[in-house]
Amino acid sequence: MAAFTPKKEHRFSFGLWCTANRGRDPFGEETRDRLDPLTNIKELGKRNVYGFNYHDDDLIPFGASLQQRNKIIKETKKIIKDYAIVCSMATTNLFYHRVFKDGAFTSHDPHVRAYALQKVMKNMELGAELGAKTYVFWGGREGAEVDAAKTPGEAIKRYRECMNFLCAHARRQGYGFRFAIEPKPNEPRGDIFLATAGHVLAFIETLDDPERVGVNPEIEHSRMAGLNTYHDFAQCMEAGKLYHVDLGAQKPNRFDQDLRFGSEDLKETFFVVKLLEDHGWAGTRNFDEHPYRSENEQGVWDFVEGSMRSYLILWEKVKRFNADKKIQQILKSVHNSDPALELLMGRYTPEGAEKLKRHSFDPMALSKKRLPYEELDQRLQELLLGVA
Ligand code: GLT
Ligand code: MN
Ligand code: MN
């Protein structure tokens, strides 16, 4: 249906590592050939994807010469122009090379930490040149299996030191992007520091430049921890800290499955779309997920198109939900208001507190109010199932 055809204005984006994923897993080799980054960007652009994200090593092979690097940058810029696609987010690969086997920012070795900072600074320069609006930090190796070897407190201090250093550097260089830290509870490490959105929100407040830094929550990572993604995203947004989003699907409490957006738990995913769209999310609707290992190259593009299509369908469902008379009537009926009492509670005054102490309540009468959540949820269920 034409209504579910992606357009640039929908601001969809993908990580180059998603479409270039070759289907390797801890128990099996790759099942697809290497997709070179330039073709990758072109193919995304052709499908009306708005933006691409990259790790330094996704675009410029690790250890490339300056000449190779400059050639790739030149070609990338040309493709950006020709295919009307933007570089929406940049990030650093601080997890693949064996030098990071025990962490980057949290490594015990100052040489490794310094090398990590250098790798980030070099790529921030490129990210700024390509026009990225967000710079993501996913600390995949910042964790431990052996708690005797690392103290979390010390690791967090080192993490902070590195973030402060990079914020100062970005300010000094005049880079426009905001930083977004991406939480994940585990994998590849046994446990990863800054495990959830809540950990990241608390950590940000301890930084020298908290304004620059926000959260990049990922559906899969929240659900890996058995959390409600919608609640995670919403709390980040409420704190003014939703700086980027990673969309995908995941069965709860498992390894990072990175499934195609919308392919698991439609209801929770519906509320993520509703949150973003009801609040006029200005960032990209960014997918961070992998095609099934059983797919060939054609399947990679089916996966890209399917993700965007599912988002647009869910957005359509959001519009229906918001316009549905029955739903809106129930919502109205469950939201009571009492302006006098609300005023009393809204701002503390000693007099108000005394007044509240004297107020007479009838808890039994209050408890009798009907909350027709069965009907509400069933209505949503039917809407999602396509019969309402
Ligand atoms: C990796 C991870 C993702 C992160 C990427 C950014 S890489 O695929 O699982 O969630 O967002 O570094
Ligand atoms: Mn992930
Ligand atoms: Mn991610």
Side-chain angles (χ1 to χ4, degrees), residues 94-263:
L94 297 175
F95 46 87
Y96 196 80
H97 195 284
R98 60 179 81 177
V99 68
F100 301 123
K101 65 186 177 188
D102 196 23
F105 294 168
T106 63
S107 165
H108 284 311
D109 188 339
H111 297 95
V112 175
R113 299 203 298 278
Y115 174 60
L117 286 178
Q118 183 196 68
K119 201 165 186 289
V120 177
M121 285 193 290
K122 283 189 179 167
N123 191 48
M124 286 203 318
E125 194 176 336
L126 175 57
E129 196 179 331
L130 295 178
K133 293 275 180 287
T134 310
Y135 204 95
V136 161
F137 293 84
W138 174 62
R141 295 280 171 201
E142 317 294 3
E145 293 76 35
V146 177
D147 276 340
K150 269 193 180 177
T151 60
E154 195 186 354
I156 295 292
K157 279 199 183 77
R158 287 177 178 159
Y159 219 132
R160 180 181 303 117
E161 205 172 273
C162 289
M163 292 308 296
N164 283 341
F165 182 97
L166 293 167
C167 281
H169 183 67
R171 188 168 51 242
R172 168 104 215 287
Q173 298 295 312
Y175 296 149
F177 34 62
R178 299 194 298 182
F179 290 175
I181 300 178
E182 178 175 345
K184 187 172 183 180
N186 60 272
E187 198 211 3
R189 300 311 301 263
D191 291 287
I192 296 181
F193 304 122
L194 303 183
T196 68
H199 290 77
V200 175
L201 283 172
F203 175 70
I204 290 170
E205 293 312 310
T206 70
L207 298 175
D208 289 347
D209 185 5
E211 280 294 292
R212 187 182 285 269
V213 189
V215 190
N216 176 33
E218 174 172 303
I219 290 184
E220 298 95 296
H221 299 180
S222 297
R223 305 196 76 215
M224 281 173 75
L227 297 174
N228 182 318
T229 302
Y230 167 49
H231 292 199
D232 270 3
F233 278 45
Q235 188 165 352
C236 293
M237 185 183 272
E238 200 276 336
K241 286 297 178 193
L242 191 66
Y243 281 14
H244 194 264
V245 297
D246 275 1
L247 307 174
Q250 170 81 27
K251 289 184 202 273
N253 305 321
R254 288 165 168 83
F255 67 95
D256 194 0
Q257 296 178 307
D258 278 323
L259 299 169
R260 190 184 70 262
F261 179 77
S263 62

Side-chain angles (χ1 to χ4, degrees), residues 182-344:
E182 178 175 345
K184 187 172 183 180
N186 60 272
E187 198 211 3
R189 300 311 301 263
D191 291 287
I192 296 181
F193 304 122
L194 303 183
T196 68
H199 290 77
V200 175
L201 283 172
F203 175 70
I204 290 170
E205 293 312 310
T206 70
L207 298 175
D208 289 347
D209 185 5
E211 280 294 292
R212 187 182 285 269
V213 189
V215 190
N216 176 33
E218 174 172 303
I219 290 184
E220 298 95 296
H221 299 180
S222 297
R223 305 196 76 215
M224 281 173 75
L227 297 174
N228 182 318
T229 302
Y230 167 49
H231 292 199
D232 270 3
F233 278 45
Q235 188 165 352
C236 293
M237 185 183 272
E238 200 276 336
K241 286 297 178 193
L242 191 66
Y243 281 14
H244 194 264
V245 297
D246 275 1
L247 307 174
Q250 170 81 27
K251 289 184 202 273
N253 305 321
R254 288 165 168 83
F255 67 95
D256 194 0
Q257 296 178 307
D258 278 323
L259 299 169
R260 190 184 70 262
F261 179 77
S263 62
E264 287 295 330
D265 200 340
L266 278 176
K267 209 192 282 177
E268 196 174 298
T269 309
F270 164 85
F271 281 107
V272 169
V273 175
K274 184 170 184 327
L275 178 82
L276 297 177
E277 299 309 330
D278 283 354
H279 290 85
W281 169 241
T284 51
R285 280 115 190 105
N286 176 60
F287 299 104
D288 186 10
E289 45 180 29
H290 296 157
Y292 299 132
R293 183 167 185 267
S294 43
E295 274 296 0
N296 65 5
E297 209 195 301
Q298 177 52 43
V300 171
W301 304 112
D302 288 348
F303 146 93
V304 164
E305 284 161 9
S307 300
M308 295 189 287
R309 190 172 158 82
S310 294
Y311 190 100
L312 293 173
I313 294 170
L314 284 173
W315 189 3
E316 171 65 27
K317 299 285 182 192
V318 168
K319 289 178 191 155
R320 287 205 198 181
F321 180 100
N322 292 342
D324 189 280
K325 288 212 174 63
K326 186 80 227 164
I327 290 175
Q328 294 311 318
Q329 184 219 321
I330 296 174
L331 288 178
K332 205 164 156 223
S333 81
V334 298
H335 284 103
N336 257 2
S337 96
D338 184 330
L341 258 187
E342 276 160 3
L343 193 70
L344 213 62

